[in-house]
């Protein structure tokens, strides 16, 4: 009788495969309240690495980290009508505290535009205070009716940036800078996901924004995932909160603003973009553990050797873990590390020790099976591994790009666009041919316009710029 697979094959049931992998790779569990999640240490390690990489890029863009309260007076949200209308179905509202009914209900933070603007209006007095560039790492609550771990949960972790500028042009350019130099750079160069950069249609914009820039990634099943967004808020919140500054000309002017964010949804994107039937495949630049050194047997000399290899690789700048738990069968440990997607395994047993070699196993190499195995000299590992890790990083990005290109069709009609999306791919259609009416027709089949792009793949300057194409897909 054939041995049952560790994971449900993707081709049989992609959602079940996703849930199996989260459980078997020990990434997360469902929380006690519907829609919440418990992020386990290995899953949180992925998020920590994302935080580190993102935080460095955000600071390079000039923003500073701060923190604002979790509880927001309900009256703050009602000041910007479109904003409160957009979030009303998702709000968690606290009406009692300390055993008493509150004088004013407070909202558990769904996003922080309103409370941050309350303080921006105090902190901004003069043009000398601008631009004001703030970021915070926090949790938010948006009551989710159809939860899925990492992708849609009632509470999730994220960063949210909020800025105030003296001019529309400065705010517009900063939102675009975050979109390209922070988010796209991280997602392409670290996550290895070939995201498409575009602008949202008016229907899909963030509530209260005048423009939303998005990054869309194709997952392994051909669906789209919105990986992050950067919003031009115009002066909508400035008007609501009277956020003004004294210009060089001595006039009181309203500021122009942006907000932008990415979340633990990126962990879900990482899983679905790179995972295979054997588990995760973690891009080496992201991986908390880039290489694991395994002792095959509990021989003293073998244990000493794997620990020495670990020390040498750490000295070479590689994030490494030594697995000398020989009371656990080697096969089980190897499968566990394969599930966790560690880019490289280095396996050492008594025979390897005699030969001065180790078995090097590359997780990412190969499209449909675990990576290739080869015996390599132990004394060459610290010089060999950096190149292998970079090669495998490039391979993941290449595979992501090839999948997106192979599964994207150019179409001319709404019917053709819907057909391509339902079949598990993306469609490109001229926005002038589709328009808001066609967008509404697609929505009836659970198909959405993910973003608008220019013919050359750049972000169009406006919704109706000549030659603008709509990217159409089913999405998570």
């Amino acid at each position: 009788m054939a041995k049952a697979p560790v994971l449900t094959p993707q081709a049989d049931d992609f959602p079940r495969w996703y849930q199996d992998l989260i459980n078997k790779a020990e990434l997360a569990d469902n929380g006690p309240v519907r829609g919440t999640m418990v992020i386990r240490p290995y899953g949180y390690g992925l998020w920590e690495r994302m935080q580190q990489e993102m935080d460095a890029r955000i600071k390079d863009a000039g923003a500073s980290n701060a923190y604002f309260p979790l509880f927001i007076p309900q009256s703050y949200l009602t000041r910007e009508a479109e904003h409160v209308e957009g979030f009303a179905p998702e709000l968690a509202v606290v009406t009692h505290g300390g055993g008493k009914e509150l004088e004013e209900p407070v909202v558990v933070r769904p996003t922080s535009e309103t409370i941050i603007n309350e303080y921006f209006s105090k902190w901004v007095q003069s043009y000398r205070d601008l631009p004001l560039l703030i970021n915070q790492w926090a949790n938010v609550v948006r009551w989710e009716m159809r939860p899925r771990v990492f992708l849609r949960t009632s509470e999730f972790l994220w960063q949210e940036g909020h800025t105030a500028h003296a001019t529309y042009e400065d705010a517009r350019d900063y939102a675009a800078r975050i979109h390209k130099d922070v988010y796209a750079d991280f997602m392409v160069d670290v996550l290895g996901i070939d995201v498409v950069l575009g602008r949202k249609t008016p229907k899909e914009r963030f509530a209260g924004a005048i423009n939303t820039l998005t990054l869309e990634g194709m997952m392994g099943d051909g669906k789209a995932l919105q990986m992050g967004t950067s919003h031009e808020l115009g002066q909508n919140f400035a008007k609501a909160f009277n956020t003004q500054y004294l210009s060089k000309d001595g006039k009181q002017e309203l500021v122009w603003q942006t907000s932008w964010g990415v979340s633990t949804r990126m962990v879900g994107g990482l899983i679905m973009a790179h995972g295979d039937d054997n588990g995760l495949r973690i891009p080496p630049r992201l991986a908390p553990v880039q290489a694991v050194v395994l002792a095959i047997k509990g021989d003293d000399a073998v244990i000493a050797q794997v620990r020495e290899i670990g020390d040498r690789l750490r000295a070479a700048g590689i994030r490494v873990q030594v697995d000398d738990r020989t009371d656990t069968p080697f096969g089980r440990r190897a499968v566990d590390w394969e599930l966790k997607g560690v880019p490289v395994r280095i396996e050492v047993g008594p025979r390897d020790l005699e030969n001065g070699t180790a078995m090097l196993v590359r997780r990412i190499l190969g499209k449909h099976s675990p990576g290739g195995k080869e015996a390599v000299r132990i004394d060459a590992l610290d010089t060999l591994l950096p190149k292998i890790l970079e090669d495998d990083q490039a391979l993941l990005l290449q595979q992501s790009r090839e999948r997106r290109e192979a599964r994207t069709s150019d179409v001319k009609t709404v019917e053709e666009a819907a057909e391509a999306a339902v079949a598990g791919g993306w469609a490109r259609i001229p926005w002038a041919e589709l328009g808001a009416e066609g967008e509404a027709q697609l929505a009836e089949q659970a198909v959405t316009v993910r973003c608008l792009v220019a013919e050359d793949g750049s972000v169009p300057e406006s919704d109706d710029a000549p030659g603008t194409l709509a990217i159409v897909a089913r999405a998570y």
Side-chain angles (χ1 to χ4, degrees), residues 190-243:
V190 179
L191 291 188
I193 299 177
D194 187 48
V195 290
V196 170
L197 283 68
R199 62 188 288 142
K200 287 292 190 183
T201 64
K203 178 179 180 295
E204 294 291 328
R205 278 182 199 145
F206 178 73
I210 63 171
N211 183 32
T212 290
L213 304 173
T214 183
L215 303 100
E216 302 288 330
M218 179 181 280
M219 302 296 101
D221 60 352
K223 288 185 179 180
L225 183 71
Q226 179 181 291
M227 300 285 289
T229 48
S230 181
H231 315 289
E232 297 174 41
L233 300 180
Q235 295 181 313
N236 291 341
F237 289 90
K239 292 174 183 175
F241 287 84
N242 196 32
T243 310

Side-chain angles (χ1 to χ4, degrees), residues 268-283:
L270 173 75
I271 296 167
M272 295 192 297
H274 295 318
D276 62 18
D277 285 346
N278 296 290
L280 290 167
R281 296 191 303 161
I282 306 297

Side-chain angles (χ1 to χ4, degrees), residues 297-311:
K297 291 187 177 180
D299 180 285
D300 288 345
V302 169
I303 299 295
Q305 182 65 80
V306 298
R307 291 175 179 173
E308 181 184 333
I309 292 172
D311 290 340

Side-chain angles (χ1 to χ4, degrees), residues 64-135:
S64 299
N65 286 338
Y67 185 79
F68 293 81
L70 174 69
F71 296 127
I72 302 173
Q74 192 174 49
S75 60
Y76 283 19
L77 271 78
T78 60
R79 294 192 205 175
E80 213 292 323
E82 185 179 348
H83 189 67
V84 70
E85 182 180 352
F87 278 100
E90 301 175 326
L91 297 180
V93 183
V94 179
T95 59
H96 289 71
K100 298 180 180 179
E101 185 173 354
L102 301 178
E103 291 184 10
E104 178 185 354
V106 297
V107 173
V108 182
R109 174 175 54 218
T111 181
S112 297
E113 279 77 10
T114 58
I115 192 167
I116 287 178
N117 265 279
E118 175 72 11
Y119 287 87
F120 274 14
S121 66
K122 296 179 181 179
W123 298 345
V124 175
Q125 303 296 324
S126 161
Y127 69 90
R128 296 183 184 89
D129 300 321
L130 299 173
L132 180 55
L133 313 175
I134 296 292
N135 177 64

